[in-house]
Every structure is written in C-alpha cells, then in structure tokens.
Amino acid sequence: MSESTVTLLNNPYGQASFDSFRLKNRAFADKSLMIKYLDDDSMSEYPVLLRPRRFGKSTFVQMLKCYYDISYQNRYEELFFWYKEL
C-alpha cells in the first residue's frame, strides 16, 4: 500500500479578497466558472445572488471585480490562468 500526502489549505475565515486567495493558495469555493454564465445574453441584466450568510457572496463579488476591473488587467494571468481554456 502506498502512502499519500494530503495538504490542507488555510481557511481564510472572515476575509473576502479573491486575489489574496489565489496568490496565497487559500481554501475557498471557486465560483469563477459562473463568469461565463453571467456574460451570457440570456442571463438577466440584474442577477440576484441569494445565498445564506457566510456563503461567499462577498468573495464572489470581489472575484468579479478582479475579472472586470481594468486596474487588474496586468494580473489576469496570475488570477485566472486556467480561465482561458473555457
């Protein structure tokens, strides 16, 4: 039987900074695949984010800021390096 190593990620409880999660390898529920659905023409112009408390709404909004804000354009590759494959 072979041994396997499990690495646990730090839980950034109470933080909502998407870019620090990506750069510091923190644990979070990655909802960045939702961006392509938000850009879809059939999506509502004003989507509603209904989730329970402490369920990542602020982190999701910070992720959208990092994706759409022009001030993050030079950091796109480091924050969304896998997104170009979609």
Side-chain angles (χ1 to χ4, degrees):
M1 186 166 157
S2 66
E3 288 187 32
S4 62
T5 305
V6 176
T7 304
L8 297 177
L9 300 175
N10 291 329
N11 182 8
Y13 186 77
Q15 298 176 7
S17 177
F18 173 77
D19 53 337
S20 72
F21 291 169
R22 296 295 289 173
L23 299 178
K24 295 179 182 176
N25 203 21
R26 302 283 193 230
F28 72 102
D30 187 5
K31 294 181 176 71
S32 49
L33 292 175
M34 296 302 293
I35 293 173
K36 71 178 184 178
Y37 297 111
L38 290 173
D39 283 341
D40 189 4
D41 289 337
S42 65
M43 184 63 148
S44 170
E45 188 173 341
Y46 303 104
V48 179
L49 303 174
L50 298 175
R51 306 301 287 166
R53 336 179 29 231
R54 313 290 312 155
F55 216 83
K57 295 180 294 290
S58 298
T59 304
F60 183 69
V61 171
Q62 288 292 322
M63 179 201 57
L64 292 176
K65 177 185 175 188
C66 291
Y67 186 78
Y68 288 109
D69 191 349
I70 196 165
S71 66
Y72 285 89
Q73 71 181 358
N74 59 344
R75 298 181 61 201
Y76 178 83
E77 290 295 323
E78 68 181 321
L79 296 175
F80 298 97
F81 62 90
W82 55 267
Y83 189 72
K84 60 186 171 189
E85 298 172 2
L86 301 177

